[in-house]
């Protein structure tokens, strides 16, 4: 018997165990996460729950809005350095000092000790993306041992089974223990190491064949778990809080994890009805979970390599990209992994995926493993709607709608405005994060992009009416009070900020008229006007939005042809930075496109290339993913692929987790120095999947581009289940050597759209359906198509 994967396997595959939590294989059901290391003599499984946060008290937000006039005067005089922390100092004077972001923390560990009787051989560990089951397998003394772990999406349980074949038995013990962690380079959450005051106080419980663990925070909340055990044959006992087994043929565990509950725990109630599964029950539990997980994972997907390709280990695939700078098989695995990770860390009724999804083994995680609102949380969800997973995006909407009261207080007390003001980063509340970030006003608008996008991808008018428009309208209320008219009659954003960059020669982020602020406002108001027409909102309401929209300043290009990052005279471009905030109207927005604004689209491309030409050392894992998405949006597939491969070389770990930055001084992105390990950050993992989707299909409400940024190396492949903003689901199979593309279109209703093909078609054959095809005004690659039912086309090139 062997547990090595073969054939069409979607998953992780390694021949080595993890030695750090960052290298373990992640399993999850959207709420609870488990990370088995894959050890033999001692197996550690890190447990996480999305609501295990070390919360910090939040001081009242003082009203500093009466200082806005003074701040604007400083900016008008060009005193940017004085303006930078002006509001921060006023907040501190008002008592708003020492605010700390809540920290997302590990829950506890499951520790399994296995009695080894002979040297191991034929070791492997795998994670199946289609089921979420992590398997560790090895031979020991001629016998095959197998350990399976998954987190049930259907039953909200962590399930573990140990088995052995060949006539021998199992012996060992299992316990639930506090997670001690390791010293970790820390960003924005204190100093390295684990300060005692932020670690929960733990206690243990046992009764019958159950054991439990509870961690209590000073704020009065508790988290923990209770486990039930079963052993087939042999002897078992619970001693010193450990489940001990000998001479067993099979051992199973069912673990229930809880969080954010009152300090007192009723263990009898917690353990009631919790039983470890026998083999028949295990298969039933696995079947229920797999059906729930697979229905989402397999709903859409892409294949860049033949389905018959035999899977190779992570280690081999990473070595390939280190040597050749090209590995389609690695990108296929990374793309599938990103889809799996989002499904496994986000589900309806829960929290959105944070900076690490739901997997974290540090008590002081980098940036508190919080919700970053200036690209990171958005990148986490870019793939969800095109990838046909609208329910996976719902926690995002629920979370930010729940913050409206805090956001409204921020707007009122910082700027004296109606509407909402989102902080740059946050834990479980929406209170303003101070320092220079008190000047950033685009957060709520950027968060609102996906609200409107949800409607475009799903056609859900109730969502548009009840959630998207009310959220965006409150952003518009803020702009109506905040914007001031300049001498030319155009609106001025003051203060303004371009995350997280500063103009060349000025050591201050705070300025006026950052391009991103203008772009986000234009997007919000445009979407509101379009929604108003669709919903037939009163003219008096939409007229306000039209007036605001008409007063926004135009974008500008500098002498080098770059799209400018700041529109204020005298503020110069600073290309030594990882953020691309000023390119927002091209990506993640879709205002500037080659079809509609070719000159500005070229200015975006020049600006992006300038960022890269001054040195990759300023980039990070997530920024390389951002670049790949941007170049895909611009139709430059080979450039997008190159950046994904650079990311794969510099910021991908043994289990294919992406890191914030380089840690080996490879010169491919930001290097913090030896002894400064980079944090795992999930946004690049999820951004890779989004980039691949973007390379295969792009859409606006009126244009669909098929294979718009297909790299020359991706000669053949297929995708299915991809959704568009035009109300069409698309399946596609291509063979570029043969010059043929077959596409299935599934419209929600009657749809007319300009459709771009990957080459000038010599022939478009209608294989199925009723379609009207006419010329498009965009050029020879485009056709205008009208469909109202399933349509299948075969496109063949001149060649």
């Amino acid at each position: 018997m062997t547990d090595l994967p073969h054939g069409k396997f979607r998953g992780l595959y390694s021949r080595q165990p993890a030695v750090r939590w960052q290298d373990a294989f992640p399993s999850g059901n959207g709420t609870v996460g488990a990370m088995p290391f894959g050890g033999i003599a001692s197996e550690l499984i890190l447990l996480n729950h999305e609501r295990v946060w070390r919360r910090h008290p939040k001081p009242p937000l003082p009203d500093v809005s009466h200082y806005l006039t003074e701040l604007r005067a400083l900016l008008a005089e060009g005193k940017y350095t004085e303006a930078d922390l002006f509001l921060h100092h006023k907040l501190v004077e008002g008592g708003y000092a020492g605010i700390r972001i809540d920290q997302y923390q590990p829950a506890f560990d499951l520790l399994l000790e296995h009695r080894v009787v002979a040297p191991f051989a034929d070791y492997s560990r795998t994670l199946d993306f289609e089921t979420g089951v992590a398997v560790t397998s090895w031979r020991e003394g001629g016998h095959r041992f197998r350990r399976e772990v998954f987190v049930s999406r259907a039953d909200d349980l962590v399930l573990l089974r140990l088995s052995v074949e060949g006539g021998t038995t199992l012996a060992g013990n299992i316990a639930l223990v506090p997670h001690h962690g390791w010293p970790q380079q820390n960003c924005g959450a204190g100093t390295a190491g684990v300060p005692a005051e932020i670690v929960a106080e733990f206690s243990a419980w046992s009764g019958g064949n159950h054991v439990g663990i509870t961690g209590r925070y000073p704020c009065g909340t508790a988290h923990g778990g209770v486990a039930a055990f079963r052993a087939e044959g042999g002897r078992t006992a619970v001693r010193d809080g450990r489940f001990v087994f000998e001479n067993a043929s099979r051992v199973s565990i069912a673990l229930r994890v809880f969080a954010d509950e009152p300090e007192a725990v009723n263990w009898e109630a917690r353990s009631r009805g919790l039983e470890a599964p026998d083999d028949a029950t295990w298969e039933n539990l696995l079947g229920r979970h797999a059906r729930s997980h697979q229905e989402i994972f397999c709903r859409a997907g892409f294949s860049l390599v033949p389905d018959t390709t035999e899977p190779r280990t992570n280690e081999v695939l990473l070595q390939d990209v280190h040597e050749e700078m090209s590995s389609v098989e690695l990108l296929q695995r990374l793309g599938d992994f990103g889809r799996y990770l989002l499904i496994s860390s986000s589900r309806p009724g829960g929290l959105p995926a944070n900076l690490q999804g739901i997997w974290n083994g540090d008590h002081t995680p980098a940036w508190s493993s919080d919700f970053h609102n200036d690209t990171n949380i958005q990148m986490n969800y870019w793939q969800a709607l095109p990838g046909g997973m609208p329910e996976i995006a719902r926690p995002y909407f629920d979370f930010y709608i729940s913050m409206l009261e805090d956001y409204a207080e921020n707007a009122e007390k910082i700027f004296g405005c109606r509407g909402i003001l989102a902080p740059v980063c946050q834990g479980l509340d929406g209170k303003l994060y101070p320092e220079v970030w008190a000047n950033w006003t685009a957060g709520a608008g950027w968060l609102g992009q996906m609200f409107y996008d949800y409607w475009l991808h799903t056609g859900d008018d109730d969502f548009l009416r009840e959630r998207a428009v009310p959220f965006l309208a409150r952003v518009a209320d803020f702009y109506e009070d905040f914007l001031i008219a300049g001498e030319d009659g155009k609106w001025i954003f003051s203060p303004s900020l371009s995350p997280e960059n500063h103009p060349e020669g000025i050591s201050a982020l705070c300025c006026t008229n950052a391009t991103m602020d203008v772009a986000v406002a234009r997007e919000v108001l445009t979407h509101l006007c379009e929604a108003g027409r669709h919903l037939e909102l009163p003219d008096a309401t939409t007229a306000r939005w039209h007036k605001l929209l008409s007063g926004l300043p135009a974008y500008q290009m500098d002498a080098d042809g770059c799209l400018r990052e700041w529109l204020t005279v005298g503020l110069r471009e600073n290309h030594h930075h990882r953020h691309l905030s000023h390119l927002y109207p091209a990506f993640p927005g879709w205002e500037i496109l080659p079809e509609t604004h070719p000159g500005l689209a070229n200015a975006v491309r020049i600006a992006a290339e300038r960022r890269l030409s001054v040195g990759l050392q300023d980039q990070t894992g997530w920024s390389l993913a951002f670049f790949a998405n941007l170049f895909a949006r611009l139709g430059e597939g080979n450039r997008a692929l190159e950046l994904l491969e650079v990311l794969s070389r510099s910021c991908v770990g043994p289990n294919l987790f992406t890191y914030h930055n380089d840690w080996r001084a490879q010169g491919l992105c930001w290097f913090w120095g030896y002894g400064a390990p980079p944090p795992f950050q999930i946004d690049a993992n999820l951004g890779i999947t989004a980039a691949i989707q973007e390379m295969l299909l792009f859409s606006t409400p009126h244009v669909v581009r098929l294979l718009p940024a297909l790299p020359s190396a991706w000669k053949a492949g297929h995708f299915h289940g991809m959704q568009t903003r035009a109300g069409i689901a698309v399946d596609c199979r291509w063979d570029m050597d043969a010059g043929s593309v077959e596409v299935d279109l599934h419209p929600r209703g009657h749809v007319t759209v300009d459709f771009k093909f990957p080459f000038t078609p010599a022939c478009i054959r209608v294989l199925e359906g009723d379609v009207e095809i006419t010329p498009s005004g965009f050029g020879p690659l485009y056709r205008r198509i009208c469909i109202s039912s399933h349509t299948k086309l075969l496109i063949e090139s001149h060649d």
Side-chain angles (χ1 to χ4, degrees):
M1 172 187 175
T2 179
D3 281 306
L4 302 184
H6 58 85
K8 187 180 177 181
F9 172 75
R10 299 280 205 235
L12 302 179
Y13 169 29
S14 177
R15 303 303 295 267
Q16 301 173 8
V19 295
R20 313 176 307 156
W21 74 264
Q22 294 94 330
D23 303 331
F25 281 178
S27 183
N29 67 357
T31 300
V32 174
M35 297 194 75
F37 281 46
I40 293 178
S42 179
E43 167 66 301
L44 183 68
I45 302 177
L46 166 66
L47 281 308
N48 290 108
H49 191 291
E50 65 174 2
R51 293 193 178 273
V52 176
W53 291 75
R54 174 63 164 87
R55 302 190 184 187
H56 299 288
K58 299 296 186 289
L61 183 63
D63 190 337
V64 298
S65 60
H66 51 286
Y67 292 109
L68 179 58
T69 301
E70 188 176 349
L71 171 61
R72 284 175 166 168
L74 290 172
L75 290 167
E77 295 169 12
K79 297 179 178 178
Y80 301 113
T81 303
E82 293 178 43
D84 210 37
L85 292 175
F86 177 83
L87 284 179
H88 172 73
H89 293 318
K90 297 304 179 184
L91 288 166
V92 171
E93 290 172 9
Y96 200 63
I99 185 171
R100 298 178 68 189
I101 299 297
D102 300 330
Q103 291 162 316
Y104 182 60
Q105 295 194 327
F108 57 91
D109 293 339
L110 187 152
L111 182 63
L112 185 157
E113 295 179 338
H114 164 77
R115 189 170 67 196
V116 175
V117 297
F120 76 89
D122 195 17
Y123 173 92
S124 70
R125 59 179 177 129
T126 60
L127 173 68
D128 189 333
F129 295 155
E130 294 190 13
T131 64
V133 178
V135 177
T136 303
S137 175
W138 70 95
R139 284 189 296 106
E140 186 179 314
H143 307 291
R144 169 65 60 180
F145 289 80
R146 179 179 172 90
R147 189 184 301 132
E148 303 161 88
V149 180
F150 71 95
V151 186
S152 172
R153 201 172 187 92
D155 295 282
D156 200 25
L157 295 171
V158 180
L159 293 147
L160 168 66
R161 182 168 68 172
L162 321 174
S163 57
V164 62
E165 295 184 356
T168 191
T169 58
L170 300 163
N173 64 84
I174 303 171
L176 305 182
V177 298
H179 178 79
H180 294 294
W182 297 269
Q184 165 72 26
Q185 175 71 22
N186 181 54
C187 304
T191 58
V194 183
E197 70 271 14
I198 69 166
V199 179
E201 181 180 343
F202 282 90
S203 60
W205 171 87
S206 62
N209 67 333
H210 294 86
V211 299
I213 187 171
T214 310
R216 295 177 175 85
Y217 286 125
C219 63
T221 60
H223 63 272
V226 57
F229 304 89
R230 176 189 297 271
E232 303 295 337
R235 298 183 300 278
T236 63
V238 175
R239 293 197 296 266
D240 300 325
R242 293 176 176 267
F243 176 71
V244 181
F245 54 92
E246 292 184 37
N247 299 323
S249 60
R250 199 171 302 252
V251 175
S252 64
I253 302 162
L255 171 63
R256 184 177 291 149
V257 183
F258 60 90
D260 201 19
E261 297 193 3
E263 187 173 355
V265 176
N266 185 330
W267 287 112
E268 285 71 21
R270 281 277 167 208
S271 59
R272 191 175 301 129
L274 180 65
E275 296 183 2
D278 57 20
D279 283 353
T281 306
W282 173 277
E283 296 303 327
N284 187 32
L285 288 167
L286 177 57
R288 285 206 301 266
H289 159 72
R291 285 189 294 273
S292 177
H293 177 91
Q294 279 179 323
E295 194 282 322
I296 306 172
F297 184 84
C298 297
R299 190 184 296 166
F302 46 80
S303 291
L304 308 176
V305 296
D307 293 340
T308 56
T309 301
E310 284 298 311
R312 297 183 295 163
T313 65
N314 294 355
E315 295 85 6
V316 170
L317 295 184
L318 289 170
Q319 188 61 38
D320 280 354
V321 78
H322 288 174
E323 292 180 357
E324 301 294 336
M325 268 297 281
S326 180
S327 173
V328 179
E329 189 180 345
L330 176 61
L331 283 178
Q332 175 72 59
R333 188 167 297 179
L334 283 166
D336 289 337
F337 192 30
R339 183 174 178 88
Y340 166 83
L341 288 172
L342 184 58
I343 294 169
S344 301
S345 59
S346 185
R347 67 182 296 169
L351 295 173
N354 62 45
L355 278 176
Q356 296 179 169
I358 54 172
W359 299 280
N360 171 42
D362 296 320
H363 291 96
T364 56
W367 295 284
S368 299
S369 193
D370 63 12
F371 304 101
H372 255 58
N373 298 331
D374 67 336
T375 201
N376 311 84
I377 186 68
Q378 292 91 341
M379 185 179 290
N380 281 3
Y381 284 91
W382 285 341
Q383 63 161 300
L385 299 175
M389 303 187 292
E391 73 272 45
I392 297 301
R394 286 174 199 154
Y396 176 101
F397 305 122
D398 293 342
F399 180 73
Y400 287 108
I401 287 175
S402 75
M403 298 292 141
L404 288 177
E405 184 176 340
D406 283 349
Y407 291 176
E409 182 184 13
N410 294 340
E412 178 185 2
K413 292 188 175 179
I414 300 301
F415 295 118
C417 296
R418 295 170 300 134
I420 54 177
L421 178 68
V424 68
C425 57
Q426 61 181 99
L428 297 185
D429 65 66
K431 285 291 187 75
L432 181 93
Y433 187 78
E435 300 178 2
V436 68
W437 297 106
N439 303 293
W440 190 50
T441 62
W446 192 348
L447 293 171
Q449 182 190 69
M450 200 164 79
F451 281 77
Y452 190 76
D453 221 19
Y454 183 92
W455 170 65
L456 291 178
H457 281 91
T458 64
D460 187 340
D461 282 354
D462 289 338
F463 182 91
L464 179 67
R465 182 182 300 105
E466 297 166 9
R467 310 200 89 184
V469 167
F471 190 95
L472 292 171
R474 296 190 72 169
V475 180
D477 288 344
F478 175 83
Y479 288 135
E480 193 169 25
D481 290 355
F482 176 75
L483 296 175
I484 54 177
E487 293 180 358
D488 60 355
K490 295 298 183 180
W491 299 123
I492 296 175
F493 292 77
S494 177
S496 186
L497 191 150
S498 187
E500 301 178 10
N501 200 9
H502 59 83
E504 183 179 326
I506 298 174
S507 59
L509 275 69
C510 184
C511 61
T512 57
N513 274 13
T515 296
M516 184 204 189
D517 281 342
V518 177
V520 170
R522 181 173 279 119
E523 179 182 77
V524 167
L525 295 166
T526 300
H527 289 170
L528 279 171
C529 291
E530 292 171 348
R533 283 192 294 271
H534 181 79
L535 297 174
E536 299 181 341
L537 298 179
D539 290 343
T541 298
T542 58
R544 293 167 43 222
W545 300 332
H546 281 287
K547 180 181 177 181
L548 287 169
L549 184 59
S550 65
L552 291 172
Y555 302 124
Q556 300 175 14
M557 289 179 276
D558 69 6
D560 296 325
C562 298
L563 190 74
R564 291 189 60 193
E565 190 160 1
W566 298 274
L567 305 181
T568 300
V569 174
L571 297 181
R572 303 194 309 274
E573 302 305 293
N574 176 18
H575 297 294
H576 293 271
H577 208 268
R578 64 202 176 278
H579 276 260
L580 301 167
S581 302
H582 59 311
L583 307 185
Y584 184 98
F587 183 86
W590 58 91
E591 176 191 357
I592 295 177
L593 298 173
E595 294 94 340
T596 57
H597 298 86
L600 287 174
N602 189 51
V604 168
R605 181 190 61 78
I606 294 171
E609 289 290 4
R610 185 61 56 85
R611 278 284 206 269
L612 293 171
S613 68
V614 298
L616 284 170
Q617 291 85 353
D618 293 303
Q619 301 310 314
T620 61
W622 69 260
S623 76
L624 291 170
F626 195 115
F627 269 111
N629 278 273
L630 174 67
F631 278 109
R633 180 66 55 87
L634 295 174
E636 299 194 21
N638 288 333
R639 194 72 169 107
L641 177 60
E642 178 185 349
L643 290 160
L644 290 179
E645 291 170 341
V646 170
L647 194 167
S648 301
R649 274 192 167 192
S650 60
C651 296
V652 174
N655 65 348
L656 304 193
F657 268 173
T658 52
Y659 300 152
H660 175 267
N661 56 278
D662 180 13
W663 73 105
R664 295 169 294 188
Q666 293 177 299
L668 297 180
C669 68
W670 203 359
F671 176 59
W672 285 355
Y674 293 108
F680 156 54
Q681 205 165 293
I682 204 171
D683 43 19
N685 274 120
L686 307 182
I688 290 170
T689 306
I692 295 173
Q693 290 179 171
E694 188 83 29
M695 295 158 83
L696 299 178
L697 188 70
F698 167 70
S699 66
T700 72
H702 309 293
V703 174
V704 174
R705 299 188 205 149
L706 184 66
L707 306 177
L710 190 71
S712 55
W714 297 358
K715 298 292 187 182
H718 58 89
F719 66 79
H720 72 280
M722 297 276 282
Q723 305 295 316
T724 70
R725 298 180 178 92
I728 304 173
V730 181
D731 306 332
C732 176
R733 184 175 295 274
W734 72 91
D735 185 335
M736 303 311 286
D737 286 339
S740 69
V741 176
E742 187 175 299
V743 57
D744 280 77
L745 306 175
H746 307 270
R748 282 200 301 266
H750 183 78
V751 175
T752 299
V753 66
D754 286 301
F755 205 89
K756 182 181 181 182
F757 299 107
F759 43 67
T760 302
C763 178
I764 302 176
R765 299 181 184 179
V766 180
L767 302 182
E768 185 176 340
D770 184 14
V771 57
E772 180 183 348
I773 304 176
T774 58
S776 166
F778 286 129
L781 293 177
Y782 294 80
R783 297 289 188 276
R784 181 159 294 177
I785 63 172
C786 299
I787 57 175
S788 56
S789 61
H790 172 226
T791 299
K792 180 180 289 188
L793 304 176
L794 176 63
I795 302 99
E796 296 176 305
S797 73
H798 283 289
D799 299 332

